[in-house]
Every structure is written in structure tokens, then in C-alpha cells.
Amino acid sequence: MKVKVLKRNVEDFVRETKHDIHKIHRNYNQSEHPFEAEREYQRALNSVKLDKIFAKPFIGSLDGHRDSISCVAKHPDAVSSIVSASADGEVRLWCLSERKCTSTWPAHSGFIRGLTYTPAGAQVLSCGDDKTIKTWNVESPSDTPVDTIVCKNMVTGISHERKGDRFATCGEATQLWATGRSVPIRTFQWGVDTVHCLKFNQVETNVLAAAADDNSIIIYDTREVGAVRKVVMTLRSNALAWNPMEAFVFTTASEDYNLYSYDMRKLGRPINVHMDHVSAVVDIDYSPTGKEFVSGSYDKTIRLFRAMEGRSREIYHTKRMQRLTNVLWSNDDRYIVSGSDEMCLRLWKARASEKLGVIKDRERVSLQYKEKLKEKYAHHPQISRISRHKQVPKHVKNAAKEHATIRQKKKRKEANVNKFSKDPQFTDERQKAVVEES
């Protein structure tokens, strides 16, 4: 005689301790769940709505400067350490976790133009209108610099390579320096009056990009004698930043209210144009993942962009925040620091609805599940409309409407000209910002 017996593993159904949750057997067969898509859609919709409800990006402000903040730099390793400088020549060292200033000292007699950490993070380099480059020890701060270099001309920017002892400065010429030397080891010039911004590539450490006052962007190779590539744009670029994950890609912040992403192998046409600001873009910084970047503008707003999208995913603003001067994205990809004209640093969350503090395992799994649902149903009309909706200041909304009207007018005029022309000329929108490449 045969007897059929149901045999089950006790460990699959009995919890180990009374503090654990009860184990539930789930059948993942799709035929047993006919309304799975409907439930997932409703969960994704509720998740998007809750994100907007709990979006509180502002964390706190760091007060103490007595003049407009001119530059900010982040520590290469320590997430909570940043250094800032103001127009009155003062440098302050901040601890973000405690939200307080740990040290302050007068660095220059005048406007501080540039600030950067050394790769080890033990020292900070600064340059100002007093034509000096000074090295400061931040581990044991002091009013006396470790080293001082007196330059012939005014220095408008400084950048240190990611690994090594070389750093570069810009002004009437781009100069390459080595730690411990009082004269530059190399000088680069390409017929421009002044270079106001430069940055080292974080992947290809021998490559250097600079923005000049003649609306040009210049690529240097520190192993060569002169510049390698140059592209001239319609308006000046205020700042630039290299993508930390893609060695060839950099993004510039332009005076024409847009940001342009370039591939340095083909500078004749930007690979993407990022629009949404309604005034000149002042500064830009990439996230450590290279997938997003943050920009600060003269229109008193901070915008977060995905690297491959032309429109911003988020906008940050407050009533008290005035024109932006600097923005930073923290090395842990969670926070943003902004500096503005009213002598105040502000700390923001990179994801507005993210919960701060310790998250339990079940909560983390639930958040990851909701993120996947939002990604799966992102193109549904209702979810897309809610996720795209942003509350913007009145002056930004009115300016955006005016700029949209101006763009439509230009497009209509170009279409009419080409319609009645014997030889119509069609120019790509991305191509219009580039004047020439050399």
C-alpha cells in the first residue's frame, strides 16, 4: 500500500525567534496574480506622490562669512570636510556633520579667486588678487602659510591634479607648477587675453581644460608644449567640470543660460545641451557617479541634471538665497553644498525626499522596490506629469515663459526664411552655440 505524505521543511515556516516576523509562503506564478500590473502601477503612482509630499531638500545653513563667498572646495577623502573662501580674503574650514566652522584665518589681502585641496587632503592651495599662491596646512591650521609663491600677474584660478604634486593656475597665461618650486615648469598660451577657469581631468590626469574670456574653451596636455584643441562659443563659459567616470566628457556653464556637454575628441558639436536656467549659469559640479551634476545660476536657483538629459530633474530655491556663486556635490553622492552672495553656505540633500539617518533592512528593500516601480512606469502619463512638476519662484516662471516665446519667435523666423529661400540653411540646435573649432 502506498501512502502519500506532504513533507515540508520546518525552517521555511517557523521563525527563529519570537522577535522575527512570520514567514509567509508566496506563489510567484503569474497566472495566480491576474492584476499584478494594476497593483504595481498604483504603488508606483502612490510612491511618486509621496516623494513630492515628503520632498524637503534643505538641511541647514552655515553662517560666518562677512563677505560674498567666492570659492568652495571639498576634501578628496573626508566627506564632511570642506573649505570656503570669501571676497574679503578670509578662508574657513567647515565640518558638515557638526555644521560648524572648525577654523578660520585671513589668507589674502583681497578677493580670493581659487581654492583647491592637495590629493592627500592635508593642505589647501589658494590664489587671490594680491598675485600670490599660498599653501595652508589644514590639519593644524595657522595664519602663517606653509609656502608662498609671488606671481608676476594676477591669478584667476587654480586646480590640482588628482594624483601627483603638480597644480595649474590661470590668468594671462596657463601655467603648470610643481610643489616646492617658485617658478612654473611650463607655460601655455594660445592668443587669448585672460583664462578665468581651469580644471584637471580626474581620469586622464595629464589633460587640462580651461575657459577663456574670448568665449573659447581650450584643452591642454601637460606632456605637450602648447594647447591641443580649442573651440569658440557664442558666449563666455563661466565654469567647467570633468565627468569623473568618463574621461573624455566635460560640461561647461555658459552665459547663455545653458550648460553644454562636450566630448573632447569632437569639439565641433556638443553631445548635449542642458536647458532650464533663466539667467547665466555660474558654477557646476559632477556627482561622484558621473550620472548627474548640479549647477548654480544667477537666477537664484540650484538645478540638478541627469548627464544624458536636457532638462533638470530637480530645482532648489529659498526666499533668502540670492545669486549663486558656487556649488559642490559631496563625495558620498548624498549632499550638495551651495554658496551665494548673502555670505551663507547651504547644505541640501541630493535626493529631496530621501530619509536621513539609519535605515533598517526591510525599509531599504521597500525603498529599492519603489524605485524600480517608478523606473518601470516612468513613461505613463500621470506618473510622468507628477514627477516632472516643480514649484518654481514667480520670477523664474515669468522669465521661462518669456524665453520660450523668444525661442518660438526665432524658430518661426528661421522656418519662414528657409521656406522662401533658394538655398535653405538648416542648422542643428546644438551646433548654433559653436562658432569655430581649431
Side-chain angles (χ1 to χ4, degrees):
M1 183 178 66
K2 292 183 179 180
V3 178
K4 293 184 179 180
V5 179
L6 293 175
K7 183 180 180 181
R8 295 175 179 174
N9 190 357
V10 178
E11 295 179 355
D12 293 337
F13 296 90
V14 180
R15 52 184 179 168
E16 294 180 2
T17 66
K18 64 179 181 180
H19 300 292
D20 293 342
I21 61 174
H22 289 278
K23 295 183 179 181
I24 302 172
H25 177 69
R26 288 188 174 91
N27 185 357
Y28 292 102
N29 187 3
Q30 292 186 357
S31 62
E32 301 293 334
H33 304 280
F35 299 107
E36 181 182 5
E38 288 78 357
R39 285 197 301 272
E40 285 186 347
Y41 173 78
Q42 192 61 44
R43 288 171 183 168
L45 185 62
N46 293 340
S47 179
V48 172
K49 289 178 180 179
L50 289 173
D51 277 353
K52 292 296 180 181
I53 293 173
F54 293 113
K56 295 180 180 179
F58 182 66
I59 299 174
S61 63
L62 307 173
D63 302 326
H65 278 292
R66 293 184 293 271
D67 206 338
S68 176
I69 296 170
S70 57
C71 43
V72 184
K74 57 186 175 183
H75 196 284
D77 297 321
V79 175
S80 61
S81 295
I82 65 168
V83 63
S84 63
S86 59
D88 60 356
E90 183 187 47
V91 174
R92 284 179 175 263
L93 193 63
W94 302 89
C95 180
L96 295 181
S97 57
E98 299 178 3
R99 297 189 209 170
K100 70 176 184 179
C101 177
T102 57
S103 183
T104 176
W105 64 89
H108 294 267
S109 58
F111 203 104
I112 297 180
R113 298 288 178 179
L115 203 61
T116 183
Y117 270 98
T118 57
Q123 294 178 334
V124 167
L125 297 171
S126 66
C127 62
D129 284 354
D130 54 1
K131 300 181 182 179
T132 59
I133 304 169
K134 296 183 179 181
T135 306
W136 308 91
N137 191 347
V138 293
E139 291 184 344
S140 56
S142 166
D143 292 350
T144 305
V146 177
D147 187 23
T148 302
I149 302 173
V150 180
C151 304
K152 294 180 181 179
N153 303 309
M154 191 180 295
V155 182
T156 57
I158 189 169
S159 178
H160 204 292
E161 64 180 359
R162 190 170 187 175
K163 296 178 181 179
D165 62 347
R166 298 182 303 173
F167 63 93
T169 61
C170 59
E172 291 190 5
T174 303
Q175 295 179 325
L176 186 66
W177 304 77
T179 304
R181 297 190 60 173
S182 59
V183 292
I185 59 177
R186 190 162 294 174
T187 301
F188 305 101
Q189 283 185 327
W190 194 342
V192 296
D193 295 335
T194 304
V195 179
H196 59 268
C197 172
L198 83 165
K199 288 286 177 66
F200 265 105
N201 193 323
Q202 299 184 47
V203 183
E204 296 290 339
T205 55
N206 292 309
V207 179
L208 185 69
D213 282 351
D214 65 345
N215 304 345
S216 64
I217 302 165
I218 308 169
I219 306 293
Y220 300 102
D221 191 334
T222 57
R223 297 165 293 188
E224 301 288 336
V225 177
V228 180
R229 305 288 297 277
K230 179 180 178 181
V231 58
V232 180
M233 301 182 66
T234 52
L235 287 177
R236 180 179 122 142
S237 297
N238 292 318
L240 58 88
W242 288 95
N243 191 318
M245 290 297 171
E246 299 180 22
F248 303 108
V249 178
F250 65 94
T251 304
T252 64
S254 179
E255 284 279 348
D256 63 357
Y257 316 161
N258 298 332
L259 298 106
Y260 298 91
S261 293
Y262 283 95
D263 188 324
M264 69 175 180
R265 298 168 295 183
K266 189 179 179 182
L267 293 176
R269 180 177 181 270
I271 57 176
N272 209 341
V273 180
H274 310 277
M275 309 168 68
D276 264 348
H277 281 296
V278 295
S279 190
V281 189
V282 179
D283 200 14
I284 176 178
D285 191 32
Y286 265 94
S287 69
T289 61
K291 295 181 179 180
E292 295 178 315
F293 61 85
V294 59
S295 64
S297 172
Y298 215 62
D299 61 8
K300 309 176 187 178
T301 62
I302 301 167
R303 288 190 183 265
L304 280 69
F305 292 86
R306 293 186 179 92
M308 301 308 294
E309 294 182 6
R311 296 289 180 176
S312 62
R313 72 163 176 86
E314 199 64 73
I315 175 173
Y316 295 162
H317 56 87
T318 64
K319 289 184 178 180
R320 293 186 178 183
M321 187 167 68
Q322 298 302 308
R323 298 181 177 96
L324 275 296
T325 55
N326 299 95
V327 286
L328 279 183
W329 201 305
S330 67
N331 286 329
D332 63 348
D333 194 31
R334 295 187 66 189
Y335 304 103
I336 288 167
V337 180
S338 66
S340 49
D341 271 349
E342 80 284 3
M343 306 169 285
C344 185
L345 286 170
R346 287 182 173 84
L347 187 62
W348 311 79
K349 290 190 284 187
R351 280 157 284 279
S353 58
E354 183 182 20
K355 180 185 175 182
L356 299 180
V358 179
I359 299 178
K360 295 182 179 179
D361 290 340
R362 291 182 65 194
E363 190 175 3
R364 188 179 67 253
V365 171
S366 175
L367 291 173
Q368 292 172 351
Y369 173 65
K370 290 176 182 177
E371 287 296 325
K372 284 295 182 183
L373 287 182
K374 287 189 288 185
E375 183 180 341
K376 181 178 180 180
Y377 295 96
H379 299 291
H380 283 246
Q382 197 170 1
I383 293 178
S384 176
R385 181 184 61 81
I386 295 171
S387 62
R388 281 187 288 107
H389 179 73
K390 304 176 185 69
Q391 295 288 349
V392 298
K394 193 172 182 180
H395 73 276
V396 174
K397 187 174 182 180
N398 293 337
K401 287 182 179 179
E402 184 180 352
H403 295 161
T405 304
I406 293 171
R407 283 195 297 270
Q408 290 175 1
K409 182 180 177 181
K410 287 182 179 179
K411 285 184 180 180
R412 187 167 60 250
K413 184 177 180 180
E414 289 178 4
N416 290 336
V417 169
N418 289 329
K419 184 178 180 180
F420 298 101
S421 175
K422 291 183 178 179
D423 186 17
Q425 300 290 331
F426 297 97
T427 307
D428 186 5
E429 286 293 330
R430 298 182 182 182
Q431 191 75 34
K432 290 178 181 179
V434 178
V435 177
E436 63 174 334
E437 178 195 4
S438 56

